[in-house]
Amino acid sequence: MNATNDIVIIGGGIIGMAIAVDLKLRGASVTVCNRNFPQTASMAAAGMLAPHAEELPPGPLLDLCLKSRWLYPEWIRKLQDLTGLDLGYNPCGILAPVYNLPSTDVRNNNQGQWLDKTAIRLYQTGLGDDVVGGWWYPEDGQVDNRQVMQALDKAAQQLGVNVRNGVTVQTLQQKQGKVTSILTNQGELEGNTYIIASGSWASQILPLPVRPVKGQMLAVKMPEIPNEPYALQRVLYGLQTYLVPRQNGRLIIGATSEDVGWTPNNTPQGIERLIKRATRLYPDVANWEIEEFWWGYRPGTPDELPILGHYGCNNLILATGHYRNGILLAPVTASLIADLVINQNSDPLLEPFKGDRFHTQPSPAPAPMTPFNHYPVPKAINGYNGTSSLFSEDELIIAGRKFHSRLMTGTGKYPSIPIMQESVAASECQIVTVAVRRVQTNAPGHEGLAEALDWGKVWMLPNTAGCKTAEEAVRVARLGREMAKLLGQEDNNFVKLEVIPDTKYLLPDPIGTLEAAEILVKEGFAVLPYINADPILAKRLEAVGCATVMPLGSPIGSGQGIRTQANIEIIIEEANIPVVVDAGIGTPSEASQAMEMGADAVLINSAIALANNPVLMAKAMGMATVAGRLAYLSGRIPVKDYAIASSPFTGTVV
Ligand SMILES: Cc1cc2nc3c(=O)[nH]c(=O)nc-3n(C[C@H](O)[C@H](O)[C@H](O)COP(=O)(O)OP(=O)(O)OC[C@H]3O[C@@H](n4cnc5c(N)ncnc54)[C@H](O)[C@@H]3O)c2cc1C
Ligand SMILES: CC(=O)[C@@H](O)[C@H](O)COP(=O)(O)O
């Protein structure tokens, strides 16, 4: 690929392709990398252009949708002219029947025209008996999204867009605030500007809170009656269902909305729900021939707004998270993003959709030793300094980076973010591990967590918690690296590698861990693998280039202490890299025990976060780690079978 002029778009759904065509028409050189995956939202959608029927509240999203609906006729004309294809654009209006009469207040504030029980049946015969009236939205409509996709593909081909199907982008390479290239399953590609338009999968490339929201769909065939139009001519938008009649007699019935992650496929329950709701709305549907079932993933975001515009690097642009309205939003997205790339013009319409809205300002690091209101730390121990001059030369070195503290902590399970901040400060740890997957999806208890610490003061150790396979862990590790960069740690290549298929004991998969470690080391990561206390595995991981090994004391969160002492001792004896005892530590004495055994560091999460007083426990763990290390460096006395008096027998008074 020509490194001097290319715009590289990642994702070939309606958003990526619409941007590609727009840019190409403005004279740019464009490459689209598109993985082959059939269940894209753009192919699954119903194609409604429905800002009003969706009842979007007044605000930036409604403004954006209205602008796009306004752009639609011209956009369609352009694509039709380019390709000669019919795109099924039909500004047919949308009828939204209801089963309960709305209050006068609701009626006065709705964008639609209210139709009573009789009037609505003049617009559409055959409605279910439960329908008591409804709204008429004359400016909404529909398009055949599959035909749009076909037209975009054809237009792109004719215009000379370099569409590379079957190319999966794995990671972005960044240097000094710029994306320098992308790594794909078919090698490295370079460009000048990179646009992420990978829908629900955007969070696999960057740490963005985009999640899949599964929608199941079904299509039936409206019966043909000679010389009569099909029974449905306009979209019916009912309660949790819609019927979208195409001009060729196909009736699209949608859609479920399921927060089930990447769970695939149609299910009997999903289809049953669709049929039930559709037949309540329009009973005749029950007798029509089924043509197809399908499903897809809507790219959802926490605030249900798309993510548009520059992000992190000045040559990186996002166009994702279009959730329920991406078909509608394609023309406006393409136009605004093309303006941004070609003219460097950021339209004010884009402002509310910037990706950094999910990053709260990094809060100032909690002042060390400041007692938290509810968890006072006794004054008597506040004078303790974990980086005591007594052993200030004693540094923990991991992948060339030096740390004074030998305690690593986690961020999960705390009662609140302030208590987590306070605990991290009280522990005086310098390495804090963060679960990339949970932070990136804003999982409960992890909202705003990554931004809550001052990463200028503590070193982030992104971890791959939640990954069951090597492949997942590699992907999440790459995301973690991006996350660290975006949070200001440009040179952070650390990853705590966890490959854990077992949910009961959370024991790591040794083979998967080794496989993932090999890949990640080759990609330049400093890999800190979480392992069972297996000396042979520890040596194998060292041999492939891991930065540490992290044997478990006992299962994560169990607080059972160090049950694997004998094996950890062998690991320590044999290792030429730091050994970090991770997981299961329940008390400060156990932290100290690990350090006295000669471990280079300990990682403790649950015992601190779940203590009655996490801040105080964090302090205790910090002190215990120091105490254990000092004891190890001092050299303990040998264990004897019999007592040896403390004072000599010679010269004693008889
Ligand atoms: C059931 C359902 C009904 C819907 N109905 C409507 C509707 O009526 N009206 C409306 O406006 N919107 C509707 N939507 C929403 C709309 O479909 C989406 O918002 C829109 O299609 C998003 O387009 P996209 O291009 O961002 O994502 P997608 O269409 O999902 O495309 C993303 C593309 O990126 C590719 N990709 C992902 N990761 C990578 C990678 N690492 N490397 C290379 N390529 C990658 C994927 O393979 C895919 O081709 C519906 C969605 C669903 C699921
Ligand atoms: C946060 C983290 O990395 C944990 O998975 C780790 O293994 C610590 O275990 P405990 O919670 O038992 O301290």
Side-chain angles (χ1 to χ4, degrees):
M1 182 184 294
N2 185 341
T4 55
N5 59 6
D6 281 339
I7 295 160
V8 179
I9 298 176
I10 300 161
I14 194 167
I15 298 299
M17 293 305 288
I19 296 171
V21 167
D22 205 322
L23 282 168
K24 191 74 200 174
L25 285 169
R26 298 181 197 210
S29 155
V30 186
T31 295
V32 177
C33 295
N34 191 38
R35 197 179 61 150
N36 287 336
F37 186 82
Q39 276 77 27
T40 63
S42 304
M43 291 301 283
M48 287 182 298
L49 309 174
H52 283 147
E54 285 263 310
E55 293 193 359
L56 296 173
L61 180 59
L62 179 62
D63 295 346
L64 197 71
C65 287
L66 290 176
K67 168 123 196 218
S68 208
R69 194 183 64 184
W70 180 78
L71 290 174
Y72 236 95
E74 185 50 38
W75 191 65
I76 292 290
R77 200 168 308 125
K78 190 173 64 187
L79 284 175
Q80 275 174 351
D81 288 350
L82 277 168
T83 63
L85 294 174
D86 172 20
L87 281 75
Y89 173 63
N90 185 2
C92 54
I94 295 186
L95 201 56
V98 297
Y99 301 128
N100 294 305
L101 281 178
S103 65
T104 325
D105 199 31
V106 170
R107 276 198 225 173
N108 291 340
N109 286 310
N110 196 291
Q111 297 287 339
Q113 180 189 342
W114 172 252
L115 303 173
D116 66 17
K117 195 169 180 166
T118 313
I120 197 166
R121 287 177 170 78
L122 295 177
Y123 278 70
Q124 180 62 60
T125 56
L127 292 172
D129 289 343
D130 292 346
V131 173
V132 295
W135 304 100
W136 170 232
Y137 301 106
E139 293 173 68
D140 283 355
Q142 61 160 305
V143 70
D144 188 327
N145 43 292
R146 290 189 185 175
Q147 281 170 228
V148 173
M149 286 310 299
Q150 212 185 330
L152 283 169
D153 283 344
K154 190 167 176 194
Q157 206 183 348
Q158 282 175 358
L159 292 167
V161 174
N162 178 17
V163 180
R164 302 195 49 179
N165 282 315
V167 174
T168 302
V169 175
Q170 291 162 336
T171 192
L172 304 177
Q173 307 244 73
Q174 296 180 31
K175 257 187 211 140
Q176 295 171 331
K178 273 191 90 172
V179 179
T180 49
S181 66
I182 51 175
L183 295 183
T184 79
N185 62 336
Q186 297 185 17
E188 191 173 350
L189 289 181
E190 287 181 4
N192 280 342
T193 301
Y194 299 81
I195 301 174
I196 304 231
S198 49
S200 297
W201 297 272
S203 59
Q204 296 184 352
I205 300 171
L206 281 173
L208 293 166
V210 181
R211 68 180 202 291
V213 181
K214 188 171 111 176
Q216 300 192 45
M217 303 278 278
L218 124 99
V220 296
K221 200 170 159 37
M222 292 187 280
E224 246 178 286
I225 305 170
N227 303 322
E228 276 195 35
Y230 287 110
L232 290 169
Q233 289 297 317
R234 46 182 72 99
V235 177
L236 290 186
Y237 195 112
L239 181 68
Q240 296 175 318
T241 195
Y242 43 73
L243 311 185
V244 185
R246 300 285 195 237
Q247 280 152 326
N248 63 1
R250 180 175 163 91
L251 181 69
I252 313 284
I253 302 177
T256 63
S257 185
E258 303 168 59
D259 244 320
V260 291
W262 298 108
T263 313
N265 300 324
N266 286 113
T267 59
Q269 193 187 47
I271 297 301
E272 188 201 354
R273 273 190 204 148
L274 289 180
I275 294 174
K276 222 167 157 178
R277 291 172 190 159
T279 50
R280 186 179 183 204
L281 188 62
Y282 195 83
D284 278 0
V285 164
N287 303 312
W288 294 347
E289 178 190 334
I290 292 179
E291 275 193 344
E292 190 188 345
F293 301 118
W294 70 97
W295 51 278
Y297 298 124
R298 302 175 185 89
T301 61
D303 54 13
E304 301 188 359
L305 304 181
I307 306 177
L308 304 171
H310 282 294
Y311 188 68
C313 304
N314 53 17
N315 64 342
L316 175 63
I317 289 172
L318 305 184
T320 181
H322 289 76
Y323 191 39
R324 297 178 60 86
N325 289 296
I327 305 300
L328 168 62
L329 287 169
V332 78
T333 304
S335 157
L336 295 178
I337 297 294
D339 269 357
L340 189 60
V341 176
I342 303 281
N343 308 325
Q344 312 291 311
N345 171 31
S346 184
D347 192 295
L349 267 178
L350 287 175
E351 194 58 32
F353 305 109
K354 286 186 167 168
D356 61 10
R357 69 182 183 271
F358 301 110
H359 301 182
T360 52
Q361 283 305 307
S363 52
M369 310 299 186
T370 307
F372 184 69
N373 287 348
H374 305 107
Y375 294 100
V377 177
K379 276 208 170 73
I381 59 168
N382 268 350
Y384 153 78
N385 178 353
T387 56
S388 156
S389 59
L390 243 184
F391 68 129
S392 58
E393 299 299 303
D394 179 46
E395 286 169 328
L396 168 68
I397 303 178
I398 301 177
R401 185 165 277 271
K402 295 178 179 171
F403 304 92
H404 292 293
S405 166
R406 290 174 178 272
L407 170 64
M408 306 179 187
T409 61
T411 45
K413 303 183 184 173
Y414 282 92
S416 70
I417 287 202
I419 295 172
M420 184 273 285
Q421 293 172 315
E422 195 78 13
S423 304
V424 168
S427 75
E428 298 192 29
C429 72
Q430 291 175 299
I431 300 181
V432 176
T433 187
V434 174
V436 177
R437 275 202 152 159
R438 298 193 186 113
V439 167
Q440 148 209 344
T441 55
N442 270 334
H446 289 72
E447 303 92 341
L449 191 150
E451 293 81 13
L453 290 171
D454 182 350
W455 298 111
K457 299 204 167 133
V458 282
W459 188 244
M460 183 187 293
L461 176 56
N463 71 59
T464 63
C467 294
K468 296 187 168 165
T469 62
E471 196 193 353
E472 278 179 85
V474 168
R475 193 160 39 72
V476 171
R478 292 173 183 144
L479 286 177
R481 182 155 65 177
E482 298 308 319
M483 182 168 88
K485 280 191 182 130
L486 288 166
L487 290 166
Q489 295 192 346
E490 266 287 322
D491 53 341
N492 191 335
N493 60 345
F494 278 39
V495 61
K496 181 183 175 212
L497 175 61
E498 295 186 17
V499 181
I500 305 183
D502 148 55
T503 51
K504 187 170 177 193
Y505 299 105
L506 295 179
L507 292 173
D509 168 5
I511 296 158
T513 305
L514 186 59
E515 279 169 8
E518 277 183 294
I519 297 171
L520 291 169
V521 167
K522 280 190 193 136
E523 288 186 17
F525 281 88
V527 181
L528 290 76
Y530 167 65
I531 56 169
N532 210 325
D534 175 344
I536 305 297
L537 176 63
K539 283 312 280 181
R540 292 286 302 272
L541 287 161
E542 182 179 327
V544 302
C546 285
T548 66
V549 281
M550 304 183 82
L552 58 87
S554 53
I556 293 173
S558 69
Q560 291 174 15
I562 302 179
R563 295 280 177 105
T564 51
Q565 175 158 357
N567 275 12
I568 291 182
E569 280 170 350
I570 300 174
I571 294 175
I572 292 170
E573 194 177 330
E574 295 297 317
N576 299 307
I577 49 177
V579 177
V580 184
V581 175
D582 174 17
I585 289 177
T587 60
S589 60
E590 289 156 5
S592 184
Q593 181 192 353
M595 298 307 297
E596 287 170 40
M597 282 158 56
D600 296 273
V602 285
L603 193 152
I604 306 169
N605 184 62
S606 307
I608 298 175
L610 300 177
N612 285 341
N613 182 333
V615 181
L616 204 50
M617 185 58 88
K619 184 89 204 162
M621 290 295 189
M623 294 173 82
T625 308
V626 172
R629 178 68 182 173
L630 287 177
Y632 171 74
L633 293 176
S634 312
R636 60 154 298 150
I637 60 163
V639 178
K640 297 265 167 64
D641 288 341
Y642 304 104
I644 299 174
S646 300
S647 28
F649 285 113
T650 51
T652 50
V653 178
V654 184

